[in-house]
Amino acid sequence: HADVANLTTVHESSALIEQRNFYSATIPLLNNKELRSFHEPIYRYEFQHWIGPNWVVHDLKHKESHQLRCNWFVEHSTWGNTLDQLSFANVMAQKDLERKIDWQEPDREMSANIQKKWTHIEAARARIIDDVTDWKEWIPIQSEGEGNKQLEPGTSYLEKIDQIARKQPKQGSNSAGGHDLYVRIMSKNIFLLLRKMVEGRIQQI
């Protein structure tokens, strides 16, 4: 993760400075609470998906994958600099915001209130899930026809993960109940571990 204002390189081009300054000025305006209804969920437009562009894999079997790649290319080409991580973070911020609004996901305040209602067992399970799984690396991407899909009520941590990620649709449900399109941004440790496993298998061939 990085802050837009602190994202610097050794040799900054004028195009990069212009792009970074534009984002830095735009984000506070979009997140201004005074411009929103008191009853409106407070969804934030924020840059939190940062990547190393030297290792990017696209699954182009889905048109959503094509759209993500095209959106990234258009955003990057608009500014004309070599730092495409910044453009990717902006595209993902837009997609995150659109998904949260359409799916009516809990905002930060609602999520905090839900966590306050957790039992000690649910809180312990939440910590275990965070420690032993990589679910936070998987960012769901909204598919065509998935607009206005409100999450089912529920307060348990596992239910929230299941509802947002849609990895395990309920038995007997059709494909509309499931979700299988994600952007996965691996942590450095997971990436190095998987790379070592692949290199080991190559050596065995």
Side-chain angles (χ1 to χ4, degrees), residues 40-105:
E40 181 182 352
I42 304 175
Y43 297 125
R44 295 183 59 82
Y45 179 78
E46 52 191 355
F47 286 20
Q48 55 184 346
H49 304 305
W50 300 96
I51 63 169
N54 292 332
W55 293 91
V56 178
V57 178
H58 295 275
D59 180 0
L60 298 180
K61 292 184 294 184
H62 300 282
K63 56 185 172 184
E64 290 84 2
S65 301
H66 284 272
Q67 185 180 29
L68 174 63
R69 186 179 176 90
C70 289
N71 290 346
W72 183 12
F73 175 77
V74 169
E75 181 68 18
H76 179 60
S77 301
T78 299
W79 297 102
N81 66 72
T82 58
L83 191 68
D84 52 0
Q85 299 101 310
L86 188 54
S87 299
F88 180 84
N90 178 64
V91 170
M92 288 300 298
Q94 293 179 26
K95 289 189 174 296
D96 260 5
L97 188 60
E98 292 170 357
R99 188 199 70 243
K100 289 174 181 178
I101 294 174
D102 284 344
W103 290 10
Q104 300 180 38
E105 295 181 13

Side-chain angles (χ1 to χ4, degrees), residues 157-195:
Y157 199 62
L158 288 174
E159 286 175 338
K160 287 300 172 187
I161 295 174
D162 181 57
Q163 289 178 42
I164 294 175
R166 294 295 196 245
K167 288 185 179 179
Q168 298 176 349
K170 296 180 179 179
Q171 291 186 358
S173 64
N174 296 324
S175 58
H179 184 84
D180 60 356
L181 293 177
Y182 305 88
V183 170
R184 184 185 184 187
I185 303 179
M186 290 186 186
S187 64
K188 181 178 180 180
N189 291 337
I190 294 295
F191 175 78
L192 292 176
L193 177 62
L194 293 178
R195 183 177 178 180

